[in-house]
Amino acid sequence: MNEREKIAKRIVDLCEEKEMSYYKLSYCSAVPMTTLMHIINCRTQNPGVFTLSKICSGLGISIKEFFDTEEFRGIDYDTE
């Protein structure tokens, strides 16, 4: 699973956990529905940190909480 897929899965899982529809998340986060769906469908190559921060705000969590999962701990970042 690549990083885009991990981000999409995390959003989907959090929406399910919080019983929140994508429409409600879009509204609460002030992220356009098309942008949110492009992230969830992995059409966005690199979702911006500000967009992810707004999504986290809509979910009622911090960006640290969003990335504080086992899936993200194993990412090897290329520093070149």
Side-chain angles (χ1 to χ4, degrees):
M1 185 181 306
N2 66 35
E3 286 78 16
R4 287 182 295 161
E5 293 168 332
K6 290 177 184 180
I7 289 170
K9 183 176 181 332
R10 182 73 169 133
I11 293 169
V12 170
D13 290 348
L14 286 165
C15 282
E16 289 176 2
E17 177 184 310
K18 296 177 178 292
E19 298 180 355
M20 180 180 278
S21 69
Y22 300 145
Y23 176 80
K24 184 172 181 184
L25 176 57
S26 172
Y27 179 79
C28 291
S29 64
V31 172
M33 186 67 169
T34 54
T35 301
L36 179 61
M37 294 313 298
H38 282 193
I39 294 169
I40 290 171
N41 294 324
C42 299
R43 289 176 147 175
T44 300
Q45 291 296 318
N46 188 12
V49 68
F50 292 111
T51 302
L52 288 176
S53 179
K54 288 169 72 174
I55 290 170
C56 289
S57 177
L59 288 165
I61 63 171
S62 69
I63 199 151
K64 181 183 183 304
E65 290 172 292
F66 183 89
F67 286 107
D68 192 20
T69 65
E70 193 61 39
E71 292 83 14
F72 292 108
R73 287 187 200 115
I75 293 177
D76 183 26
Y77 297 99
D78 190 11
T79 57
E80 291 181 31

